[in-house]
Structures are given as structure tokens and as C-alpha cells.
Amino acid sequence: MKIGRHFALLSVGVVDGHGGPPRLDQAVVVRDGRIAAVLPMADYRTDDSIQEVPLDGHYVMPGMIDAHVHLSGGRATIDDQELGVIAEPKILRAMRSVYEAQQLLKRGFTTARDVSWNGLYLKRVFFEQKLPGPKVIACGPGLSRTGGHADLFQFTPDYVRENGVWGIMADGTDEIIKSVRYLLREGADAIKIFVSGGDNWPHDRNGDVHYSMDELRTCVEEAHRQTGTMVMAHAENRTAIEMAVDAGCDTIEHGEDIDEALAAKMARNGTILVPTLQLIVNWYRDFVPLGGPVAPKVRPDAFLYRDLYDDHDEEFGHAYSSQAVTSFQTAKAAGVKIALGSDTVYEPLTRYGEYSALEFRALVEYGMTTSEAITAATVTSAEAVGMSRLLGSVEPGKLADLLVLRRDPTEDPMVLYDAENIHLTFCDGKLTVIDGLLAW
């Protein structure tokens, strides 16, 4: 199948991303990579300059956006985790990241906000359109304090600086300013900061706050100094979440400790929540197995006598998962904007593309309607990554990042979870994927 730069998708149901049922028997006209018109077939007129693509019985919706991924190129299991990732050559990881981004594309995600070194350069490769891939909204590595969430203390600081993929160490306001400016120099579209720990290592328990308010405000001020740059805040405990909101961070990542008062503040401020539900709710099943103390061979522990004898049993895991679900539902009830983000980190633990689709399913499982989840994955995620003027909906003037589906995606979350329902994928109006195969 060959489709040129000017075409019309005819007799389709349109799911525009703003909610509600499909508008049936529509024509979507695309010229030079942008949506030129969306109109009923009764109003459509044949134009010799337009290639007509009859698609009776199909549906068109915006390409989905994963607002939180790590195109790290790493490969690790539960036993070695990040240690295995950082031990491999950077060039190997960079090459693998191309495959990772393309797997997202095959599952209907035409844009991804990435936190890794690789994304800074993947965005340039895919923009050249020599290789098919999604739009990469690049953060580069997130700002982490020494000993923080993205620091791997089993390696020397110099080795981590040279070979780490998710973090750049920045302590104090001067280092934060320098790091933000350096990332912007490298082409970062957004800045991530690890405001809390994340339970990866003994130094970074998710109940700890890792930056002072001065440091956090400095990060936001410096990022926002360059117009259009957004700040995403890894924040897992209530204190860290509220600090990030008060400092002016644009999105809260994970945020599994939100109560009604904090949700109301987020809604007033327009702060977007990226809850990464699939990962957080299943953290003690997929990442840190339950059943007693953490064994040193799994998590080499610098603070053996501080935490080693704390039991993490089934009851503990259930309470943690339940809190994440309650936090998400509290935020939703308060009117907090919610975007889709999978936090895909490396295979085989989180398979690229599949994990993003699992996050879509999780949004519905824990409280959204399927139509609301589509809005989260399109309109709101476009806002979360700073691209709402160009992406996220099927309407004139937007870039033609489009999915053509065999079934109505609003009827059941499994429609979008099942990649076989995705017939065609367009990026900037260019046919990119046909039935799961890259088209160019």
C-alpha cells in the first residue's frame, strides 16, 4: 500500500480524543502531514489532488502518547536490574533503543516522552525520517542527588557519570542550574527531577524527600526560563508531591500518596498526574518480590542493619498497591488532569509497546471509562509533553499522527490493547506501520 502526502480516509468513524462516541461516516483529509479537514461523507467532495482511501467500517483516532518511558537500551532481570543495564556498553544500549521506540510505534504510540540519554539523539534520528519511529520528547537523564534514585552506588561516581542512562547527579542549586542548562544544550524538551526516592536502592526509599525546596524551585525556574520547557517530577510521597506542585512542576510522576486536599491543589494549579499504575500497583509482584527481607544478593544493601530485617509480606504489598489505586481515584474525582505514562524501563521486565498498552488497560481497570482513557492517552498526554498545539486530537491543523482501527476503540480497552486491531499508523501524515509491520 502506497499513500502520498495528500489523501482522504473515507467512511470512517472518528474518535477525536475529546471523549464521547465516534462520529460515524466521516472523511479525514490530510495535506502535507497535517489534518486539513474532518467532515461528514455527505459533505465530502472528490478532489483530483487527493488520494482517496476507502475504509468503510474502520475507525480513526489520534496516535497515542506515552508520557513516561525510558528508551534505555538495557536488558536485565529481577536479579541484576539496573546493575545489568549500566554494565553494558553505551553504544549497544543506544542501538537497542531504536528497536524499543519502534515497538512503541507498533502498538499505536506515535509519541513518547523519554527519560534517558538516548532520547536526546533518537529524536534527531526519527525527525530526519530515514528510520521509522515515534516522536521522541526528550528529557535526557533526570536530575538526581548523589545517592539518589538514579545513582548506582555499587559503581564509582565517575563510572555512573560516564555510563548511567537515567540520571545526572546534581547537588545544590549551582549544580542544578548547570545540569539544566547542559541538558537544554543537548536538546532536552523537558527536564525531569527525582524529588523523592523510588525504592530501587537503600538510599532511595520512596518515603524520603531528596531535594530541598530551594533546589526544586531552582530547577523549575531554570527550566521554565527557556520557553516551552516543562518539568516532570518523580514524587512518590505526599511531602515530595506537594513540594513539586508548589514549586511549579508541570507533571507529577507516580504520585501514589495524594489525598483530597492535595488533589484539589493539583486541580487548581493545572498540575498533570502521570500515575504509571501498571508499574506502581504491581511493584511488589513484578519488581521487588514479597516474602520476607530483601536478600543482599538481589539488592546489595549499604544499610544492612537499618532496613534488612523489615518484612515485606503480602499484607504490606497489598496496602502499597491499594494506596496507589486510592490516590489515582482521589485525583480523578477532584478533576486532576491525568495522562498515560508506562514507565517502561528495560526488557524483559517491561516490554516496550506492550507495557504502554498495559498502562492503557490499567487506567480503565482502576476507574476510568475507556473513552476517558483514550483522552488521557491523547489529549492530556499531548498537554503533559508540551505538544497540545500539534498533537493529541483529530481536528484540522493538527499533525496527522493517526491510527486506523478495525474496531471502535471506545467500546472496550482490549480493542487498543490488542495490536491486531491497529490496521494503519500515520506519523506526520506518512504511512508508517501496516498491520504491525514497519512500512518504510
Side-chain angles (χ1 to χ4, degrees), residues 203-215:
H203 300 80
D204 79 311
R205 294 168 295 190
N206 62 19
D208 292 336
V209 177
H210 279 190
Y211 276 114
S212 70
M213 198 63 186
D214 283 346
E215 290 171 312

Side-chain angles (χ1 to χ4, degrees), residues 6 16 21 37 95 106 170 205 226 315 333 343 418 434:
H6 312 304
D16 62 12
M95 289 188 288
K106 290 179 179 181
R205 294 168 295 190
Q226 186 151 323
E315 183 179 355
D343 202 7
D418 184 356
I434 305 175

Side-chain angles (χ1 to χ4, degrees), residues 66-394:
D66 191 329
H68 188 138
V69 297
H70 302 271
L71 300 171
S72 61
R75 295 295 178 269
T77 66
I78 195 68
D79 289 332
D80 51 1
Q81 297 194 41
E82 294 88 342
L83 301 182
V85 172
I86 198 174
E88 290 193 305
K90 290 171 67 175
I91 188 64
L92 174 60
R93 288 181 266 144
M95 289 188 288
R96 284 202 193 114
S97 70
V98 176
Y99 150 83
E100 293 168 353
Q102 291 176 338
Q103 289 300 102
L104 288 169
L105 187 62
K106 290 179 179 181
R107 295 300 289 251
F109 289 85
T110 54
T111 299
R113 182 171 61 173
D114 170 65
V115 181
S116 78
W117 282 107
N118 293 332
L120 293 166
Y121 315 114
L122 280 173
K123 62 180 282 188
R124 306 180 197 181
V125 172
F126 293 143
F127 184 77
E128 292 169 356
Q129 295 198 349
K130 303 301 182 185
L131 289 174
K135 291 178 176 63
V136 176
I137 309 302
C139 295
L143 273 60
S144 175
R145 76 174 190 188
T146 297
H149 189 51
D151 193 2
L152 302 179
F153 67 90
Q154 291 84 355
F155 295 90
T156 66
D158 287 344
Y159 187 90
V160 173
R161 277 193 293 271
E162 180 64 25
N163 296 282
V165 289
W166 300 293
I168 182 169
M169 301 307 117
D171 299 310
T173 55
D174 288 346
E175 287 188 9
I176 285 172
I177 290 171
K178 184 72 171 179
S179 297
V180 170
R181 290 178 180 177
Y182 177 69
L183 291 170
L184 292 172
R185 173 187 183 272
E186 290 301 294
D189 304 293
I191 298 296
K192 180 175 182 179
I193 184 166
F194 294 100
V195 186
S196 79
D199 269 359
N200 271 23
W201 309 106
H203 300 80
D204 79 311
R205 294 168 295 190
N206 62 19
D208 292 336
V209 177
H210 279 190
Y211 276 114
S212 70
M213 198 63 186
D214 283 346
E215 290 171 312
L216 187 52
R217 284 199 173 106
T218 296
C219 173
V220 174
E221 179 182 346
E222 197 59 40
H224 286 177
R225 196 184 305 280
Q226 186 151 323
T227 303
T229 305
M230 301 182 74
V231 178
M232 57 188 296
H234 169 112
E236 298 198 52
N237 62 72
R238 192 193 187 287
T239 300
I241 298 166
E242 187 161 35
M243 286 174 61
V245 173
D246 289 343
C249 293
D250 300 286
T251 69
I252 302 296
E253 313 300 306
H254 315 304
E256 67 268 32
D257 195 11
I258 297 171
D259 58 22
E260 290 183 1
L262 186 48
K265 178 182 285 191
M266 292 175 66
R268 287 195 305 271
N269 288 11
T271 311
I272 298 172
L273 174 65
V274 185
T276 64
L277 283 171
Q278 179 67 26
L279 179 135
I280 294 295
V281 173
N282 297 298
W283 180 254
Y284 284 100
R285 184 195 70 188
D286 296 343
F287 290 87
V288 183
L290 297 167
V294 178
K297 68 187 178 83
V298 176
R299 293 285 193 182
D301 199 329
F303 302 145
L304 290 175
Y305 295 107
R306 182 181 298 181
D307 294 325
L308 185 61
Y309 298 104
D310 292 341
D311 288 340
H312 286 180
D313 55 17
E314 293 290 339
E315 183 179 355
F316 175 89
H318 176 73
Y320 180 80
S321 298
S322 297
Q323 177 180 307
V325 173
T326 299
S327 178
F328 165 71
Q329 294 172 345
T330 299
K332 180 179 181 296
V336 174
K337 295 178 182 179
I338 296 173
L340 183 150
S342 67
D343 202 7
T344 309
V345 286
Y346 46 80
E347 295 190 348
L349 285 185
T350 56
R351 295 197 177 277
Y352 290 86
E354 179 186 5
Y355 214 71
S356 301
L358 283 170
E359 181 63 21
F360 180 85
R361 193 178 71 178
L363 290 173
V364 178
E365 180 180 355
Y366 297 114
M368 284 186 166
T369 66
T370 303
S371 187
E372 287 172 335
I374 290 173
T375 298
T378 57
V379 171
T380 311
S381 284
E383 185 177 349
V385 304
M387 294 290 287
S388 58
R389 71 192 185 284
L390 295 172
L391 303 175
S393 59
V394 181

